[in-house]
Amino acid sequence: MHFNKITARITLTIVVIFIVVPLVIAGNRIMPVTRDSTIIKNGKICLTLNYQKRACISSLIVNGQKVITGNDGIFTSLQVGQTLYSSLHLKSHPIVTKNKGTIKVLGIVYGDNKLRITENWIFNTSGPSVKWRIERTLSRSIVAEETASPVFNFDNINTWEGAYQGYGGLAWFYLFNEKLCTYGVHTRSSSFWNSKTGNGLNITVTAPGKQVAMKYTRANDDRLSYSISTSDKELLPKSDSGTNRRRFIRGRTDVWAAQKIKAVKSSQTITLSYFDFDEKYGRGDLKGINGSQVSAVLNTIARIGVIDSLHFGGNSWHTPYGPICLHEQYIAQMGLAINDPQYLKGYQSCLDFYRDHAIKPDGRVYSRWAYTNEDAMPGQFNEYGFYEAQWGILMDSNTDLVTNVAELYDQNGDINWVRTHQLSCEKALDWLLKRDSNGNGLVEMMTDNSAQKKSSDWIDIIWASYENAFVNAKLYHALVKWAGVEAQLGNTEKAKYYNDFAAKLKASFNKSINNGGFWDDEQKCYVHWRDKDGSIHGRNMVTPVNFMAIAYGICDDPARKKMILDTIEKQMVKENLFFWPIAMRTYAPGEGNDWQFPFPAYENGDLFLSWGSIGVAAYADYDPALALKYVKNVLRQYSKDGLAYQRYGRLKQDGLGDDILSGNSLSIVGLYQAIYGVNPLYNRFYLNPHLTKELFGTKLNYTFRGQRLTIQLDSDDYMISSGKYRVASARNFGFNVVHDQLNYFDKDQSNPSLQISSKEPLTLQIKSWDKQKIDFVVVCHQQLEGKLDFICQLAPSGSYLLSVNGKESGIVKTDINGRITLTTPTFVDSVGMSLVKQK
């Protein structure tokens, strides 16, 4: 790709010490005092409020850690032209009152003869947080260059490692590598965290009818300056002139364009609350692997492709021109391992934005978005920043938009939301399916041959044309995923159409290159593409093509899988590479941009970590130890350089490229999905591990649709617990809880195999479950007052011998749909049931 512990809420026990104030009103009496500050304190948060000819918070302590110290710690400000007004310089003493958990600082007045700003600050400490209401009135309407209500000046850029945004993105301060780096976003909350101290500070803004923006700056004195701005309209980035989309700037702080502010009263409430980082984001006990590094990668690198609330991609906001590739199928997939509901909600809004603004009327999906239009084909961009890349019409944006919608639906289970994408995803797929002119199931690119020197996929300076295996592999995956969604939405006709096309594509894909397919018997791999004249190109074991063929289920020939994976591993060992290169051997002359030669160079042989999840998936089913080997290699590299690069050179294995890719985390995503077997699906949580011995005993914490699950992984012993219900089995299974009903799904079945209704906690132990016999035990964790109801899904109209606690109870029959309902007698602790099919 070419681009240069659960939140601990603390109820405040307030000790307010009036050391000195100019005027304190207690009840209806005005009381003079002689000092100028008030301490607002609880077990985790301590504020020092100053109001002697100034209004500011001079100290903020979070769980015993000083994070802000100084007379300009937290204050409000407004810049008009070159004049900066702030609450650090008041015209008179404010009035301070205290009453039942509320502290008011009234009459905060600053400005000059041109502009008078009047504010009231109200602090409420009666709930589980500190609420700070700021009311502001201006003497006249203005155009403000910058506004801060307020600005927080944390003591050091390293006070916090980062700040999670309300939409799931991250301001990662590791990337603020020089003074006056500034990053601006549109969000209403920011969660600052430090994994070393375990401290977290959430700051949320409530401003009804207003837009909220935030910015983060590494100040000249190496403090972290964080400011909040509210506005009537969404703040527009100041840079660049004519596009106004740049969120990250260097050497300046003016990330936002000027805004008009009316001379009317405005107000917003800032809520400060503490959270324990380990309790909220802790991932459990990860055996046989460095769990801290796993958490670090998923807490940082995995999130940096989220540029702003409506802009999710693989390239970071730190990249010089801030690109987003819509031709990346793994953005939703990263949410599986990030495991933050805010990321899923944020990406949902992003995909809505893409649906509305990135799809052309004919169904073509623009391939990219960026801060500027410098990477665009001349004239091929729209007002929202979406464009066609200068390197060619990258066809996989059509497949990948659909895949991301389908995979996000698997994670959020929101059928009403995915229905709003039905027509747009159909349009995107159908645009591509129409490009199968010869009816062989393989869609064709916009170019006929590599001599045209235009790309058609993610590997964007390799001239893949006509029938492209890379794009067709992605298309197969999208068709299979979307056919499932169509079935959920009740459109069986479309589901069949997409499944049938996928089947034809798969059949043609697997044919030899001599028979119109992509399998190369001589090179023992799938090739990259075929020109219209029949010439074959990319016979150099392009790893994404071959990994996708295996991971997506196109290649189901065990012998071919073995040839591909063994050949790659042999070369990896020979070169002692820590990660799979994008191609094992060189492309032929003329198959790519001139500066891709000699081999290895960039997309002709360098190491791109963004293909880690499919690499891990391809190996996990074949040899989990090899899959885990490369996960560990990536973690080891993270400990050296933070993975803060675009790629790694083949010869020196050194970090290269200034466009840092969040895809560098995808091996760790593969660890979660393919090795641990974590697969959230639209109606269940599906667990399908591929473990090595060293991983036995792993215990994961995982949030699934508002439930905090515990997942235990051992040798042929897997368990999922929601706290109230637990299911244990020796093989893969699905799990879901709806109110007081536990649903068990045998293996990869999409409908419940067993449903148990109980208001009391219980454990379901699956002993066996096949066509001939099912055997399970239910253990209750407290005495039941009534009976348990079971609904089993078996063979339609079948006869079964039922045994309860080892005693035969007679023959029972299923209905025409295979369902049978059983009721147990009242019991104290456990019941075992078995059903044996009768001939």
Side-chain angles (χ1 to χ4, degrees), residues 360 362 364-365 377 380 388-389 391-398 431-432 434-436 442-450 452-457 463-468 471-472 529-532:
K360 297 180 183 181
D362 65 354
R364 168 60 186 156
V365 178
M377 284 184 181
Q380 293 296 310
E388 296 287 10
W391 310 105
I393 303 298
L394 310 181
M395 309 285 274
D396 42 352
S397 55
N398 275 60
W431 181 89
L432 199 52
K434 290 174 184 176
R435 297 198 58 79
D436 177 21
L442 301 174
V443 299
E444 298 131 13
M445 307 300 102
M446 303 298 286
T447 52
D448 291 339
N449 59 77
S450 53
Q452 293 173 263
K453 296 187 177 182
K454 289 293 183 182
S455 178
S456 57
D457 63 43
W463 310 137
S465 66
Y466 199 58
E467 289 179 343
N468 179 342
V471 171
N472 276 280
W529 78 92
R530 167 187 285 99
D531 278 352
K532 191 172 184 178

Side-chain angles (χ1 to χ4, degrees), residues 582-615:
I582 201 165
M584 300 307 296
R585 302 181 296 275
T586 184
Y587 281 97
E591 290 184 340
N593 196 304
D594 291 344
W595 57 274
Q596 299 303 281
F597 302 90
F599 174 88
Y602 197 50
E603 291 179 351
N604 186 20
D606 275 352
L607 284 56
F608 285 83
L609 276 58
S610 291
W611 297 100
S613 63
I614 60 164

Side-chain angles (χ1 to χ4, degrees), residues 596-799:
Q596 299 303 281
F597 302 90
F599 174 88
Y602 197 50
E603 291 179 351
N604 186 20
D606 275 352
L607 284 56
F608 285 83
L609 276 58
S610 291
W611 297 100
S613 63
I614 60 164
V616 170
Y619 275 102
D621 191 45
Y622 175 68
D623 186 346
L626 285 177
L628 185 62
K629 168 185 171 181
Y630 292 100
V631 170
K632 288 185 174 182
N633 286 352
V634 170
L635 291 175
R636 194 175 299 113
Q637 193 65 37
Y638 177 85
S639 69
K640 297 176 182 177
D641 61 19
L643 303 179
Y645 296 98
Q646 180 206 47
R647 68 192 191 282
Y648 288 82
R650 177 83 163 254
L651 299 179
K652 298 180 180 179
Q653 301 192 61
D654 51 337
L656 301 171
D658 55 7
D659 46 339
I660 302 167
L661 304 185
S662 63
N664 291 346
S665 69
L666 279 162
S667 297
I668 316 307
V669 176
L671 167 70
Y672 263 72
Q673 187 171 34
I675 297 177
Y676 293 150
V678 170
N679 287 274
L681 297 176
Y682 69 95
N683 67 341
R684 65 201 183 280
F685 182 90
Y686 177 52
L687 186 64
N688 184 28
H690 297 85
L691 303 177
T692 63
K693 288 183 180 180
E694 59 196 306
L695 301 180
F696 292 167
T698 289
K699 182 177 179 180
L700 302 175
N701 300 325
Y702 198 86
T703 299
F704 178 66
R705 310 220 177 112
Q707 299 179 75
R708 190 68 163 169
L709 303 182
T710 300
I711 302 162
Q712 294 184 10
L713 305 172
D714 219 320
S715 176
D716 297 325
D717 184 10
Y718 313 136
M719 189 274 287
I720 302 174
S721 172
S722 66
K724 182 177 180 180
Y725 301 118
R726 288 188 290 182
V727 174
S729 176
R731 67 185 188 190
N732 55 314
F733 68 93
F735 172 99
N736 195 30
V737 174
V738 181
H739 303 301
D740 293 326
Q741 180 175 283
L742 170 63
N743 297 295
Y744 163 78
F745 301 75
D746 183 49
K747 295 189 289 188
D748 61 353
Q749 296 297 304
S750 59
N751 293 314
S753 304
L754 176 63
Q755 297 171 293
I756 305 175
S757 297
S758 172
K759 293 184 178 180
E760 310 300 337
L762 58 82
T763 295
L764 170 64
Q765 175 71 55
I766 302 297
K767 299 294 186 181
S768 65
W769 198 289
D770 57 41
K771 293 180 180 180
Q772 298 303 315
K773 179 181 179 180
I774 65 171
D775 191 354
F776 61 88
V777 175
V778 175
V779 178
C780 293
H781 303 295
Q782 59 190 64
Q783 185 172 353
L784 295 178
E785 296 180 358
K787 302 177 180 181
L788 281 180
D789 293 326
F790 302 87
I791 300 175
C792 297
Q793 185 68 45
L794 303 168
S797 302
S799 296

